[in-house]
């Protein structure tokens, strides 16, 4: 079936807002609280901001305490089994509270809920869940919530709503309650067409679809006007931005367009697929002064045999060449990556190829994962020759190397002066956290009133995870 990009109509978005107002009126003036619990990636964090935007429009305030929440929304991740188990554990644990407070509404949404098998399991075994809907239903959360409210009070509390469609729309004009005032997520596209053989994302988030660059630039502009100083463009594979949208900019063009917006802010982006990262992109990064010199470039494996089985579309050699080119073109480039250990068929030799390649590239930080078979993906049915112990041992060795690489790179920053954005407050001696242009975490001492400010800092110390500095 050919994929057709479809946009949500403005009228449909407006209708959802009207439903929020209706729910607000029906529930009346009393205080009510919601908790939105987010698992997984930044895209999910961004989706949770829309859930909160809708809930705020229904008159809900937000709480971190489950007991206090009238509505608990669990926005789930399906990328690894571990996250899924945690979701089931936490949702199961809500049953006791629900017994005492049957009026509490539990919502399970996001990537897990897009899978028919999981919806079936929730329907059968997690009766605590009142509403369960997939990623494609996010835009119509108010309509589904209204339906849930209607059936929720039915005798025996048997009214439950389960919905998911395959129809993925590009939705503009949805309300959003953002976390924080300094850093903002800006989703530029959704879905993925790559079908890496281990990955569930294309199945739960659908085919790639990009927003229009005018809409993205308008949102970026409003964020800058609202005082946000760090904007992260989000997409499963930002390098293929604009593909299939006639006359649209490509990702390098989009970076240039956002860079041209007036204001003192930084542009970051996540995630780049190595096969689509081009010289044009690196040049745009180098030429756009607001674009952070940071590339998160998931390698996954350093073995050509495994990369092929993963359907990644590049070789160890071509990956290395790209990182060399990027480093040459972008001064002070910070490189980070994702690695999967224990993919089916990975031998000790394959693993050593990965270890060696990561050491050759030199990463500031590596997100390391043990391969987790995802039902429905091709690799899930492949034999894994290595034992759990072997895989754990490889993982431990990789982590040790990753930590050593990070510590050495961080150590080399000591004595340098960096421009940072102060973006968080902490308990303890170092009361502030900040990020360098390349995204390195720098802990500082200073007053909370500095939150959201730029500062020049001298780096005085470091460890595996962070730098320490003094404001000068
Ligand atoms: N098992 C382990 N790690 C996975 N990732 C994606 N799918 C799986 C899986 N089935 C990792 C990849 C990806 C990151 C977001 O999660 O490294 O880049
Ligand atoms: Fe998954 Fe590969 Fe798409 Fe990333 S590029 S979301 S790993 S299928």
């Amino acid at each position: 079936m050919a994929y057709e990009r479809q946009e949500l109509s403005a009228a449909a978005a407006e209708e959802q807002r009207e439903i929020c107002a209706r729910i607000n009126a029906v529930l009346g003036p009393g205080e009510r609280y919601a908790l939105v619990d987010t698992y997984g990636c930044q895209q999910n964090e961004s989706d949770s901001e829309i859930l909160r935007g809708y809930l705020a429009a229904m008159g809900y305030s937000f709480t971190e305490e489950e007991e206090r929440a009238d509505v608990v929304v669990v926005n789930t991740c399906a990328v690894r089994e571990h996250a899924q188990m945690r979701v089931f554990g936490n949702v199961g644990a809500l049953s006791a509270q629900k017994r005492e407070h049957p009026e509490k509404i539990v919502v399970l949404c996001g990537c897990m809920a897009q899978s028919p098998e999981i919806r079936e399991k929730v329907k059968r075994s997690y009766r605590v869940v009142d509403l369960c809907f997939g990623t494609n239903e996010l835009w119509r959360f108010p309509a589904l919530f209204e339906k849930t409210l209607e059936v929720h009070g039915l005798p025996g509390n048997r009214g439950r709503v389960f919905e998911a469609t395959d129809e993925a729309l590009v939705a503009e004009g949805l309300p959003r309650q953002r976390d924080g005032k300094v850093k903002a997520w800006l989703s530029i596209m959704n879905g993925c067409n790559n079908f890496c053989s281990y990955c569930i994302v294309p199945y739960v988030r659908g085919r790639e679809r990009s927003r229009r660059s005018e809409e993205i630039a308008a949102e970026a502009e409003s964020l800058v006007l609202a005082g946000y100083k760090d904007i992260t463009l989000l997409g499963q594979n930002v390098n293929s931005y604009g593909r299939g949208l006639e006359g649209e900019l490509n990702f390098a063009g989009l970076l240039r367009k956002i860079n041209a917006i007036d204001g003192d802010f930084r542009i970051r982006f996540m995630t780049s697929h190595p096969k689509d990262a081009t010289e044009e992109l690196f040049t745009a990064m180098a030429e756009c002064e607001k674009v952070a010199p940071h590339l998160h470039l998931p390698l996954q494996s350093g073995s050509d045999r495994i990369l092929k089985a993963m359907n990644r579309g590049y070789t160890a050699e071509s990956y290395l060449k790209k990182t060399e080119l990027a480093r040459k073109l972008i001064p002070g480039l910070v490189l980070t990556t994702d690695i999967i250990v224990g993919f089916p068929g990975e031998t000790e030799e394959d693993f050593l190829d990965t270890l060696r390649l990561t050491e050759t590239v030199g990463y500031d930080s590596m997100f390391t994962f043990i391969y987790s078979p995802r039902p429905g993906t091709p690799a899930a049915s492949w034999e894994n020759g290595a034992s759990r112990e072997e895989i754990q041992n490889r993982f431990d060795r990789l982590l040790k190397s990753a930590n050593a690489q990070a510590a050495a790179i961080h150590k080399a920053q000591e004595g340098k002066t960096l421009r940072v954005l102060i973006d968080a407050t902490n308990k303890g001696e170092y009361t502030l956290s900040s990020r360098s242009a390349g995204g390195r975490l720098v802990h500082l001492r200073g007053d909370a009133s500095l939150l959201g400010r730029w500062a020049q800092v001298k780096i005085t110390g470091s460890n595996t995870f962070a730098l320490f500095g003094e404001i000068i």
Side-chain angles (χ1 to χ4, degrees), residues 37-83:
D37 194 7
T38 312
Y39 291 76
C41 66
Q42 291 88 352
Q43 192 70 49
N44 258 20
E45 298 281 352
S46 167
D47 286 353
S48 284
E49 292 182 348
I50 293 175
L51 291 164
R52 285 199 197 92
Y54 275 140
L55 286 161
M58 297 172 196
Y60 285 92
S61 304
F62 296 95
T63 175
E64 294 296 311
E65 296 164 45
E66 261 170 14
E67 287 83 13
R68 194 172 182 205
D70 303 291
V71 178
V72 177
V73 182
V74 187
N75 191 8
T76 65
C77 170
V79 144
R80 278 171 295 275
E81 197 185 3
H82 179 70

Side-chain angles (χ1 to χ4, degrees), residues 79 191-203 208 235-237 271-276 298 300 310-312 338 340:
V79 144
C192 183
N193 290 358
N194 289 315
F195 290 94
C196 300
S197 58
Y198 51 81
C199 187
I200 195 76
V201 167
Y203 307 92
E208 231 166 65
Q236 260 80 34
N237 175 15
T271 289
S272 287
H273 195 304
K275 78 175 163 54
D276 302 317
Q300 313 298 5
M310 286 178 163
N311 190 29
R312 290 290 287 173
D338 295 341
I340 297 176

Side-chain angles (χ1 to χ4, degrees), residues 95-379:
S95 306
Q97 285 180 40
K98 182 121 173 174
R99 245 176 273 134
E100 267 179 53
H101 298 282
E103 72 288 355
K104 196 187 277 285
I105 293 183
V106 177
V107 181
L108 191 143
C109 61
C111 292
M112 274 168 70
Q114 188 66 32
S115 136
E117 291 78 23
I118 298 229
R119 280 200 306 284
E120 221 17 72
K121 178 168 171 171
V122 171
K123 208 177 252 176
R124 258 187 294 113
S125 311
Y126 291 82
R127 303 205 57 84
V128 66
V129 174
D130 301 291
L131 167 60
C132 178
F133 63 90
T135 51
N136 296 334
E137 263 44 61
L138 177 68
W139 68 271
R140 59 188 195 103
F141 167 54
L144 298 176
F145 191 73
E146 188 175 50
K147 205 162 149 186
T148 310
L149 287 176
E150 281 164 13
V151 296
H152 189 71
L154 293 182
N157 190 19
R158 265 198 249 116
R160 302 165 82 204
V161 179
F162 282 73
E163 303 226 2
T165 60
D166 291 332
E167 197 185 5
L169 300 170
V170 179
E172 298 291 346
L174 308 186
R176 190 182 274 277
Q177 177 147 314
R178 291 184 184 275
D179 287 340
K181 294 264 167 267
V182 185
K183 296 190 285 190
W185 307 123
L186 207 181
S187 171
I188 64 167
M189 60 200 296
N190 216 320
C192 183
N193 290 358
N194 289 315
F195 290 94
C196 300
S197 58
Y198 51 81
C199 187
I200 195 76
V201 167
Y203 307 92
V204 292
R205 288 226 172 236
R207 292 301 72 69
E208 231 166 65
R209 52 215 180 268
S210 298
R211 294 174 65 193
R212 292 186 187 279
S213 57
E214 301 87 72
E215 304 272 8
I216 297 169
E219 188 172 342
E221 229 164 302
S222 70
L223 288 170
V224 174
L225 277 177
Y228 287 94
K229 299 212 160 42
D230 186 301
I231 298 177
T232 303
L233 310 181
L234 293 180
Q236 260 80 34
N237 175 15
V238 292
N239 302 134
S240 55
Y241 172 78
R243 237 177 250 173
L245 246 183
E246 201 143 324
E248 190 47 276
L249 298 170
N250 65 9
F251 185 58
L254 181 70
L255 282 181
R256 289 182 190 277
K257 189 177 174 100
I258 299 176
N259 190 64
I261 296 171
D262 266 345
D264 198 3
F265 67 99
R266 261 186 206 141
I267 305 163
R268 304 188 183 282
F269 56 89
M270 287 265 223
T271 289
S272 287
H273 195 304
K275 78 175 163 54
D276 302 317
T278 57
E279 179 164 356
E280 187 191 3
L281 169 68
F282 304 151
T283 308
M285 289 175 71
E287 289 176 0
C288 292
E289 73 288 353
K290 291 174 186 133
V291 175
H294 173 206
L295 259 184
H296 181 67
L297 208 56
L299 169 64
Q300 313 298 5
S301 169
S303 150
D304 286 344
R305 218 172 52 79
I306 297 295
L307 286 170
K308 194 157 193 287
M310 286 178 163
N311 190 29
R312 290 290 287 173
Y314 55 85
T315 61
E317 172 77 15
S318 68
Y319 180 98
L320 181 62
K321 283 234 164 67
K322 280 201 183 169
T323 58
E324 286 168 353
L325 179 64
R327 282 214 204 273
K328 194 169 106 202
L329 295 174
I330 309 163
L333 180 68
V334 170
L335 272 172
T336 57
T337 199
D338 295 341
I339 306 281
I340 297 176
V341 174
F343 185 79
E346 183 191 79
T347 61
E348 174 67 13
E349 231 1 88
D350 294 316
F351 169 72
L352 288 176
D353 284 345
T354 303
L355 193 62
R356 276 191 291 259
L357 185 54
T358 66
E359 285 169 358
T360 308
V361 175
Y363 293 102
D364 243 77
S365 76
M366 279 161 59
F367 298 87
T368 51
F369 307 104
I370 288 182
Y371 168 70
S372 167
R374 308 313 297 126
T377 61

